[in-house]
Amino acid sequence: DAGVIQSPRHEVTEMGQEVTLRCKPISGHDYLFWYRQTMMRGLELLIYFNNNVPIDDSGMPEDRFSAKMPNASFSTLKIQPSEPRDSAVYFCASSLNSYEQYFGPGTRLTVT
Amino acid sequence: KQEVTQIPAALSVPEGENLVLNCSFTDSAIYNLQWFRQDPGKGLTSLLLIQSSQREQTSGRLNASLDKSSGRSTLYIAASQPGDSATYLCAGGPSGSARQLTFGSGTQLTVLP
């Protein structure tokens, strides 16, 4: 398996623009997690899905953030409108039965 | 709510030394404890997973232990090498109804040649 795939790897955008991050989990995994990493706050969970259903979105910072998982092999995290404070590395991870989690390479987002 | 702490925040050792990284957590009901390595500007690589029924796991020069009663885990690195230089993160979870990992802030390790 190719592991968790994320795209794009780097994204630079201007404040106010819409940003969409994409994730393909490992085939067969039933849990998908979106994390954000910053120097100030470390790694924090934004939202996670089980069998494509959002289970806990309490970590989503604001209504500007939304996430979807239309099928078992694809998820998106959207920020609209983006702000400079959203600049961070966004990681997607997947697991089977929520045990060992496998992380993607991350998307480094810079909002100017 | 689970809280995970890692001490020290940074550690510098000469090549060849054996070292221990510490991780403590508040909720002893965790299902597992996972150790990761993160190189600068890179993603997280899973090193070891200790499930709640286990006390330790070993992979090569790495050994991780878990003591749920004291809320502690340690990562032991034997015969350290410059290539071991990275940030090491421990993460506890799932616990209770929460399925996500709760991360510590990491220990930045530098192994000097």
Side-chain angles (χ1 to χ4, degrees):
Chain A
D1 199 312
V4 176
I5 299 172
Q6 291 187 248
S7 65
R9 295 293 308 277
H10 302 272
E11 177 79 37
V12 180
T13 190
E14 293 183 347
M15 182 175 62
Q17 297 299 305
E18 177 180 294
V19 175
T20 300
L21 311 181
R22 298 173 176 80
C23 175
K24 175 179 170 57
I26 293 173
S27 177
H29 281 188
D30 57 349
Y31 280 83
L32 184 140
F33 304 83
W34 282 100
Y35 293 89
R36 178 172 67 175
Q37 186 177 39
T38 61
M39 288 292 292
M40 291 295 294
R41 300 175 66 91
L43 264 164
E44 52 185 350
L45 179 77
L46 299 177
I47 185 172
Y48 75 91
F49 297 82
N50 177 218
N51 292 323
N52 313 337
V53 176
I55 303 300
D56 184 352
D57 65 354
S58 60
M60 297 285 262
E62 302 171 29
D63 291 345
R64 298 183 296 106
F65 286 69
S66 62
K68 295 181 179 179
M69 192 165 187
N71 57 61
S73 59
F74 184 66
S75 177
T76 60
L77 178 67
K78 185 175 294 186
I79 307 173
Q80 166 62 20
S82 58
E83 297 182 2
R85 60 191 167 128
D86 301 332
S87 297
V89 180
Y90 291 81
F91 289 103
C92 174
S94 71
S95 70
L96 181 62
N97 299 325
S98 76
Y99 291 137
E100 187 167 12
Q101 292 190 21
Y102 296 85
F103 279 68
T107 296
R108 182 174 297 275
L109 173 64
T110 302
V111 183
T112 60
Chain B
K1 180 182 176 182
Q2 179 74 274
E3 294 182 6
V4 179
T5 304
Q6 290 186 250
I7 295 173
L11 181 64
S12 183
V13 301
E15 181 177 5
E17 253 193 34
N18 302 325
L19 58 100
V20 174
L21 305 181
N22 297 297
C23 172
S24 61
F25 48 91
T26 55
D27 184 354
S28 61
I30 59 170
Y31 289 178
N32 57 45
L33 194 293
Q34 196 167 354
W35 281 93
F36 294 87
R37 168 185 173 140
Q38 186 174 29
D39 293 280
K42 304 292 186 181
L44 278 70
T45 301
S46 180
L47 296 174
L48 291 165
L49 170 73
I50 312 174
Q51 297 186 11
S52 61
S53 58
Q54 302 171 324
R55 294 189 64 84
E56 65 178 311
Q57 283 287 325
T58 298
S59 176
R61 295 182 292 107
L62 306 180
N63 175 274
S65 66
L66 175 64
D67 184 342
K68 293 179 64 178
S69 61
S70 66
R72 293 181 181 177
S73 176
T74 60
L75 178 66
Y76 175 82
I77 303 177
S80 58
Q81 303 171 357
D84 295 330
S85 298
T87 296
Y88 291 80
L89 296 147
C90 71
S95 66
S97 60
R99 315 316 294 169
Q100 69 270 29
L101 294 175
T102 300
F103 282 84
S105 54
T107 294
Q108 186 174 353
L109 173 66
T110 302
V111 181
L112 303 171

